[in-house]
Amino acid sequence: MADPAMRVTPYWELAFDADGDPAGRQRDRLLAGVTERKVRDLVVFAHGWNNDPSGATRLYDRFLAPVPRLAPAARIGYVGVLWPAMRFSDEPIPDFPRAVAAEAPRRPVLDKDTRHALLESFPGRAILVDQIARLLEQQPPEGAELEEFGRLVRLLVEVVAPGPQALFAADTVAEGVPQSEPAMLAGSSASACEEFARALAELDGSGARQGFRLPNPWEGAHELLRQATYYAMKRRAGTVGERGLGRVVGQLAKAAPGVRVHLVGHSFGARLVSFALRGLPEGVRTVKSVTLLQGAFSHYAFAARLPHDARAGGVLQGQQNRVDGPLVCCHSRHDSALGTMYPLASRMAGDSRSVAGLDMGRALGAEWGAMGYDGVQAVPGTRAYTLAEALRAKPPGSGCVIDILHEELARLVLAAGRIR
């Protein structure tokens, strides 16, 4: 069924809740519709940061609009995945086709749009959101109030038992080491707020201007809330991917085995479609390509072993082999959001050491790099192409592909999936 806002058809929307359960009627319409419309190739797109479904639909329409012209003879269907993600209103979504640098937040308040997004993303927790907003507005000087702020943030983002989301937060897994709450939420909240405030001051260059004056820890508190929300969305993307989209793709393979599926994800949506590979039923080989656009998850996610820790591997190790075709990772070192804020979040989530004075370039080359910044790492056989090379050359038959630095992303999806 085509959405009136979409310029491509046939188009279906597929919504999931935070635990990965699909909207049943939408799923059933998709499973029946691909056969009725004689779809040969199905492009499934998952958004990342987003405040509402209408914003996701606009993104899908803008990205997919050129596809019918680029592949006029192909029998293509389109799916827009909707899942409950959010972003802070002062953090812009990188635009297509050009990424926009995000600035470090400098206002320790909760604006109206972000407050609304929190209420939408964490239903039933309005009292917590109100208390968090009040503390950010008042900024009491006592350390005990920062600890109280941290307690409220923990309650806001915690998984409601017996929900499955706690299983989907990790990017890398060490043998014999259980997953745990991120260090920034488990330790002293006052210390974490101070760490974030100092790191943010250095990231935007204000540290030198401040001289000996300590940064405002409530700016760090604002960042603690942002990063805790980031952690919750990261966890949620994995849940929706494996428990939701992966299972639906499996059902589609049974209902319409001749349909070739092409997964596309932006930011946390890239994480979502990657985890969908882990949720595929055994033997399903209908996923013919995966395209990750500025993926907001670890560049080691697909690695069998980490270069800095041979006992640990990526949480998606080997899952690229579930794709009957290439897994393409589009990345750019011009993406400042992934080049600075991602490693800051990752390090604070997994390490209690200080982040002040962090050398972002060095960090990205080690534990904390984002796939959308410097590509797939530590996966043997991964090949690098510029976009021009990828579009001129014969598409790779399988494996990971990185170093896509330019535009024409819709053409990239078609090339990766051999859609003509």
Side-chain angles (χ1 to χ4, degrees):
M1 178 178 294
D3 187 295
M6 297 293 294
R7 286 172 283 181
V8 295
T9 186
Y11 171 79
W12 296 272
E13 286 190 341
L14 186 59
F16 296 92
D17 67 16
D19 289 334
D21 294 323
R25 290 184 178 179
Q26 290 184 341
R27 178 199 56 204
D28 294 343
R29 283 197 293 266
L30 169 64
L31 296 181
V34 291
T35 299
E36 294 170 0
R37 300 297 294 268
K38 296 181 172 56
V39 170
R40 167 68 170 161
D41 290 280
L42 188 69
V43 178
V44 181
F45 201 147
H47 65 79
W49 295 108
N50 205 71
N51 274 345
D52 55 55
S54 63
T57 301
R58 288 193 299 272
L59 171 65
Y60 299 151
D61 176 63
R62 184 174 179 183
F63 185 92
L64 297 171
V67 171
R69 173 176 51 81
L70 295 171
R75 301 197 309 273
I76 306 175
Y78 309 88
V79 175
V81 174
L82 302 177
W83 61 287
M86 73 155 285
R87 67 180 176 92
F88 276 59
S89 61
D90 62 349
E91 184 172 4
I93 300 175
D95 199 9
F96 284 101
R98 181 170 172 269
V100 177
E103 296 181 356
R106 301 302 299 162
R107 295 181 301 147
V109 295
L110 203 61
D111 62 87
K112 181 179 68 174
D113 290 340
T114 300
R115 186 169 179 163
H116 176 74
L118 287 170
L119 293 171
E120 290 289 317
S121 298
F122 302 99
R125 304 186 189 184
I127 294 176
L128 288 173
V129 173
D130 288 342
Q131 292 173 319
I132 288 169
R134 189 177 304 114
L135 284 173
L136 283 173
E137 182 68 31
Q138 296 174 349
Q139 301 181 42
E142 297 85 4
E145 298 300 331
L146 286 170
E147 296 296 342
E148 172 63 8
F149 181 86
R151 185 186 73 84
L152 295 172
V153 170
R154 282 193 294 273
L155 290 174
L156 177 69
V157 302
E158 71 178 357
V159 177
V160 178
Q165 295 183 54
L167 302 174
F168 294 94
D171 277 343
T172 57
V173 178
E175 295 177 3
V177 179
Q179 298 182 36
S180 59
E181 188 177 45
M184 64 181 174
L185 297 179
S188 166
S189 297
S191 296
C193 292
E194 291 167 1
E195 294 278 359
F196 273 126
R198 285 195 293 270
L200 290 169
E202 292 194 12
L203 285 172
D204 70 2
S206 65
R209 296 195 301 271
Q210 289 177 342
F212 293 104
R213 186 176 69 83
L214 293 176
N216 179 4
W218 284 101
E219 290 179 353
H222 184 274
E223 188 61 29
L224 177 65
L225 173 61
R226 182 196 302 271
Q227 301 297 0
T229 303
Y230 170 99
Y231 176 81
M233 295 303 106
K234 170 183 173 181
R235 181 179 63 199
R236 190 175 290 180
T239 307
V240 173
E242 182 169 331
R243 299 187 75 254
L245 183 58
R247 293 178 180 178
V248 171
V249 173
Q251 292 166 348
L252 178 64
K254 185 175 181 180
V259 174
R260 296 156 36 90
V261 177
H262 309 277
L263 302 178
V264 184
H266 171 236
S267 185
F268 275 142
R271 180 183 179 85
L272 190 157
V273 299
S274 296
F275 270 78
L277 299 174
R278 207 169 71 167
L280 293 176
E282 191 68 29
V284 169
R285 301 291 293 174
T286 55
V287 176
K288 302 302 180 180
S289 69
V290 175
T291 306
L292 309 179
L293 306 172
Q294 304 307 111
F297 62 115
S298 172
H299 56 192
Y300 292 138
F302 293 99
R305 289 290 179 268
L306 306 187
H308 55 277
D309 185 356
R311 301 169 302 168
V315 72
L316 296 172
Q317 56 185 278
Q319 293 302 318
Q320 68 272 19
N321 299 322
R322 304 296 305 275
V323 185
D324 190 22
L327 183 147
V328 176
C329 174
C330 172
H331 69 88
S332 172
R333 289 185 179 271
H334 298 290
D335 192 327
S336 298
L338 292 179
T340 56
M341 299 313 297
Y342 176 87
L344 177 62
S346 298
R347 185 162 182 170
M348 282 297 285
D351 194 337
S352 60
R353 293 172 293 173
S354 172
V355 296
L358 177 62
D359 180 343
M360 289 299 175
R362 178 170 53 83
L364 282 165
E367 293 98 321
W368 314 113
M371 190 170 295
Y373 185 81
D374 64 349
V376 175
Q377 301 291 319
V379 177
T382 297
R383 284 160 284 178
Y385 296 87
T386 66
L387 180 60
E389 291 169 343
L391 294 177
R392 281 198 308 267
K394 180 180 178 181
S398 63
C400 299
V401 181
I402 64 171
D403 212 20
I404 309 296
L405 300 177
H406 304 287
E407 302 179 4
E408 306 289 336
L409 298 179
R411 289 182 59 200
L412 174 64
V413 173
L414 296 176
R418 300 172 186 264
I419 306 173
R420 300 178 179 89

